[in-house]
């Protein structure tokens, strides 16, 4: 896939992927524009996302509770 990017956060490596429709709804419900974010990781209660325009510099990673 050409739209998958890998980054390193701390000691872990993550594959960044576009948000799914369900994930976009969660992001929009938390007052963020879904098109500006990429999926990083999630669990049962939260989801971590990273802002697209910060990938080249300091990463802006946010935790959103579902």
């Amino acid at each position: 896939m050409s739209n998958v990017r890998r980054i390193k956060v701390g000691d872990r490596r993550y594959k960044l992927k576009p948000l799914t429709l369900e994930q976009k709804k969660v992001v929009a419900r938390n007052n963020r524009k879904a098109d500006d974010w990429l999926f990083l990781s999630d669990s049962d209660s939260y989801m971590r996302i990273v802002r697209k325009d910060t990938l080249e510099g300091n990463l802006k990673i946010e935790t959103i509770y579902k």
Side-chain angles (χ1 to χ4, degrees), residues 5-7 10 12 14 19-21 23 25-26 30 34 37-38 43-45 48 51 53 58 62-63 65:
R5 178 178 251 186
R6 291 176 174 84
I7 62 169
R12 296 196 61 189
Y14 295 97
L19 296 173
T20 64
L21 182 59
Q23 292 167 341
K25 289 178 184 177
V26 172
N30 284 280
W37 299 89
L38 292 171
S43 74
D44 290 340
S45 61
R48 293 180 73 195
R51 192 166 176 97
D53 59 359
N58 294 334
E62 291 199 19
T63 302
Y65 295 95

Side-chain angles (χ1 to χ4, degrees), residues 1-2 7 10-11 15-16 22-23 39 49 54 58:
M1 266 193 264
S2 63
I7 62 169
D11 294 337
K15 287 183 184 179
L16 297 177
E22 183 178 323
Q23 292 167 341
F39 175 76
I49 55 176
T54 63
N58 294 334

